[in-house]
Amino acid sequence: MTPMVKAEQVCKSFGALQVLKGITLEVDKGQVLVMVGPSGSGKSTFLRCINHLEQVNAGRLYVDGDLIGYRDRGTKLHEMSPRDAAKQRRDIGMVFQHFNLFPHRTALENIIEAPIHVKRVNKDDAIARGKDLLNQVGLLEKADAYPAQLSGGQAQRVAIARALAMNPKLMLFDEPTSALDPELVGEVLEVMKKLASEGMTMVVVTHEMGFAREVANQLVFMDGGVVVENGPPREVLANPKEERTKAFLSKVL
Amino acid sequence: MTVVDSPPPASPAAIDAVPLRHPWRWVAAVVIIVLLGLFLYGVATNPSYRWSVFFEYLFNDRILMGVSNTLQLTVYSMVLAIVLGVILAVMRLSANPVFRSVSWVYLWIFRGTPIYVQLTFWGLIPTIYSKIQLGVPFGPSFFQLDLQALSIPFLLATLGLALNEAAYMAEIIRAGISSVPEGQLEASTALGMSWGMAMRRTVLPQAMRVIIPPTGNEVISMLKTTSLVTAVPYTLDLYSIATREIAAREFEPVPLLLVAAAWYLAVTSLLMVGQFYLERYYSRGASRKLTTKQLEALAKAQTTQLGEPHV
């Protein structure tokens, strides 16, 4: 079976600054990968490379067997046109730390925006599906509310529903609970747990070790742009092998 | 189902305090009313104002035609300027270095020279380019237009005003686009939108909130800048008709200036009303306050919940 995400020696630099120094990992279909590590370690950059918000400088990154960002024409790679890149992203949902909901649209309008205008889904079907998704994240009564009227937890759940509306085969979460008040973290993690139990393939950057232990199939600890440790979460959390992992975990646990 | 219907705790009596007095507000109001009264009395009684002439010409046919021409110049040139301004702003922000430079040079030239000079120049276009030919360079021509034979001062005035204004609108629109957080474009991109669609559906509608107030300013300013089209020369706008045509004939500059001023003021007031409604439309979602519609829905939900236990 082709893995959903396959990274081979992925490198990314911003000018002289090398942020990713050869990331190699795989995520199988239906699996949940959680990435942890100190800030600046490159977790978010790696996540953004997966849906080509950042272009990889070296190495190869595949989603469901497709090379991301480039066309492989035998001897040489060709930069992908914006149109083809947009097509690749349609199947990859992304949830941001600061939600990035569209403030001028209601919760429901946020969700149906991309299906209608990108996928050209019939409007009535999109609304029906949108309401169904809102119901799944427990916010059907907030369909007509604008993002500014939602709490952080509600906004993030709407953002998850918005990503799901495109029927993605892979969901990326970039610190989805880091901007939330502590008492609102649980409701967002609940939705993510449910999603994982339904078999969604997920890559999650987070500081929620409890979530990692409970939901993840694979835990990656990153530091300084490299994967320091990679394994089943209980093992990595309970018996870290590397000094750097031990030092980090002692601070967050 | 049980109804929690305990009597509300006895609430304390509302505070009945003596309101704070503001004597200086009253003093200021009296002083200003007295001064204003004196000024108005002077204006009404001073024969130089020639109010009879003012009222005679306020709804004069030539004046009304001037108002209509001024309005048309304003609307056509503003619409052109906004369309061109959006294009220039998007070019300025695009990743394409050629577009970026073209937009920069346009702004440099049109903001860097006075509008009066530009309008004079537009008036000279038929002299400089007497014919417009469409065809193969140095080869046969398929289409030919004799500019000198046409009488096109209105068109030239509109173009002159629009191309100058487009440079200013481009900057206003660019500022609006830059005010939208980066995450908005990112979220749209992540949903599979192209750059153009993200601009059109996500960024520009949000930028409108920032774009509209200065654009209202520009429209009002344009209404008055139309009085410069005499440089083209175009002579059928409000200002030219009132001050050059009629005032020169009647030797009555003061009342006719007042006629022109009254019309400019009236149209500006109308434009301000339009701006108010536009701003309200584009501010949706900007506030946490619930809209009337949402409040009604919530109230309805509340009453149905209260009604439930009896069913």
Side-chain angles (χ1 to χ4, degrees), chain A residues 25-141:
Chain A
L25 54 82
E26 276 185 23
V27 187
D28 283 328
K29 284 177 183 141
Q31 302 279 294
V32 176
L33 169 75
V34 166
M35 305 182 85
V36 298
S39 62
S41 58
K43 309 164 298 215
S44 288
T45 304
F46 178 70
L47 205 65
R48 293 161 59 82
C49 284
I50 296 179
N51 70 350
H52 198 218
L53 284 178
E54 306 292 352
Q55 187 146 16
V56 171
N57 299 128
R60 298 281 189 277
L61 189 50
Y62 301 89
V63 170
D64 204 12
D66 290 333
L67 182 61
I68 290 294
Y70 297 93
R71 288 245 171 279
D72 195 349
R73 295 208 178 120
T75 53
K76 266 212 165 278
L77 290 188
H78 293 248
E79 267 187 51
M80 196 175 258
S81 74
R83 177 190 294 264
D84 291 336
K87 224 173 255 170
Q88 273 186 338
R89 289 194 193 100
R90 279 175 209 181
D91 297 330
I92 305 172
M94 182 147 187
V95 175
F96 299 87
Q97 179 177 1
H98 296 287
F99 330 136
N100 296 355
L101 287 176
F102 305 135
H104 58 308
R105 302 190 191 285
T106 62
L108 184 62
E109 283 169 355
N110 262 278
I111 295 173
I112 63 177
E113 172 72 10
I116 290 177
H117 293 278
V118 177
K119 272 196 167 172
R120 306 261 165 222
V121 173
N122 170 295
K123 192 173 177 192
D124 293 332
D125 296 345
I127 289 176
R129 167 96 172 117
K131 286 192 169 159
D132 180 41
L133 283 166
L134 272 177
N135 198 21
Q136 282 179 39
V137 297
L139 288 172
L140 189 53
E141 80 281 1

Side-chain angles (χ1 to χ4, degrees), chain A:
Chain A
M1 198 170 74
T2 30
M4 185 55 86
V5 179
K6 185 174 177 196
E8 293 172 349
Q9 293 294 317
V10 169
C11 297
K12 172 68 190 172
S13 314
F14 296 100
L17 178 72
Q18 200 175 4
V19 179
L20 299 180
K21 301 170 183 166
I23 304 289
T24 301
L25 54 82
E26 276 185 23
V27 187
D28 283 328
K29 284 177 183 141
Q31 302 279 294
V32 176
L33 169 75
V34 166
M35 305 182 85
V36 298
S39 62
S41 58
K43 309 164 298 215
S44 288
T45 304
F46 178 70
L47 205 65
R48 293 161 59 82
C49 284
I50 296 179
N51 70 350
H52 198 218
L53 284 178
E54 306 292 352
Q55 187 146 16
V56 171
N57 299 128
R60 298 281 189 277
L61 189 50
Y62 301 89
V63 170
D64 204 12
D66 290 333
L67 182 61
I68 290 294
Y70 297 93
R71 288 245 171 279
D72 195 349
R73 295 208 178 120
T75 53
K76 266 212 165 278
L77 290 188
H78 293 248
E79 267 187 51
M80 196 175 258
S81 74
R83 177 190 294 264
D84 291 336
K87 224 173 255 170
Q88 273 186 338
R89 289 194 193 100
R90 279 175 209 181
D91 297 330
I92 305 172
M94 182 147 187
V95 175
F96 299 87
Q97 179 177 1
H98 296 287
F99 330 136
N100 296 355
L101 287 176
F102 305 135
H104 58 308
R105 302 190 191 285
T106 62
L108 184 62
E109 283 169 355
N110 262 278
I111 295 173
I112 63 177
E113 172 72 10
I116 290 177
H117 293 278
V118 177
K119 272 196 167 172
R120 306 261 165 222
V121 173
N122 170 295
K123 192 173 177 192
D124 293 332
D125 296 345
I127 289 176
R129 167 96 172 117
K131 286 192 169 159
D132 180 41
L133 283 166
L134 272 177
N135 198 21
Q136 282 179 39
V137 297
L139 288 172
L140 189 53
E141 80 281 1
K142 293 286 181 189
D144 294 323
Y146 285 98
Q149 298 164 339
L150 301 173
S151 73
Q154 292 170 335
Q156 193 61 295
R157 286 187 279 157
V158 171
I160 293 173
R162 176 174 72 173
L164 290 174
M166 292 294 276
N167 296 323
K169 52 190 177 190
L170 168 67
M171 285 283 284
L172 309 175
F173 293 84
D174 189 3
E175 303 203 19
T177 56
S178 300
L180 299 179
D181 291 340
E183 82 271 21
L184 302 176
V185 169
E187 64 188 56
V188 172
L189 293 181
E190 253 343 284
V191 169
M192 290 169 64
K193 269 181 214 166
K194 205 172 99 192
L195 204 54
S197 70
E198 288 163 2
M200 175 63 77
T201 315
M202 295 160 57
V203 180
V204 185
V205 171
T206 187
H207 297 293
E208 295 294 327
M209 296 302 161
F211 176 83
R213 188 180 294 123
E214 211 178 316
V215 182
N217 305 101
Q218 196 184 158
L219 183 74
V220 164
F221 173 69
M222 271 182 76
D223 192 16
V226 295
V227 172
V228 177
E229 206 157 338
N230 184 353
R234 280 166 204 282
E235 213 165 284
V236 176
L237 291 174
N239 307 305
K241 293 191 189 72
E242 304 289 330
E243 276 312 312
R244 277 193 282 179
T245 320
K246 280 179 201 163
F248 175 76
L249 290 178
S250 71
K251 278 181 220 151
V252 295
L253 284 181

Side-chain angles (χ1 to χ4, degrees), chain B residues 155-215:
Chain B
L155 181 68
L156 292 175
T158 310
L159 278 178
L161 291 172
L163 293 188
N164 176 266
E165 182 59 31
Y168 292 93
M169 283 307 304
E171 285 297 270
I172 290 174
I173 292 163
R174 187 170 67 98
I177 292 175
S178 311
S179 76
V180 178
E182 209 180 10
Q184 292 292 312
L185 188 61
E186 223 157 58
S188 310
T189 310
L191 285 166
M193 291 190 197
S194 66
W195 188 81
M197 183 186 280
M199 271 289 151
R200 209 173 62 242
R201 303 259 339 149
T202 306
V203 177
L204 279 175
Q206 291 180 58
M208 287 304 266
R209 216 156 53 79
V210 176
I211 290 172
I212 283 174
T215 303

Side-chain angles (χ1 to χ4, degrees), chain B residues 122-133 143-153 155-156 159:
Chain B
W122 280 97
L124 292 172
I125 288 269
T127 320
I128 304 171
Y129 304 98
S130 52
K131 290 187 180 103
I132 292 180
Q133 291 186 338
F143 170 80
Q144 187 170 328
L145 187 69
D146 192 345
L147 283 183
Q148 281 185 319
L150 296 170
S151 176
I152 48 170
L155 181 68
L156 292 175
L159 278 178

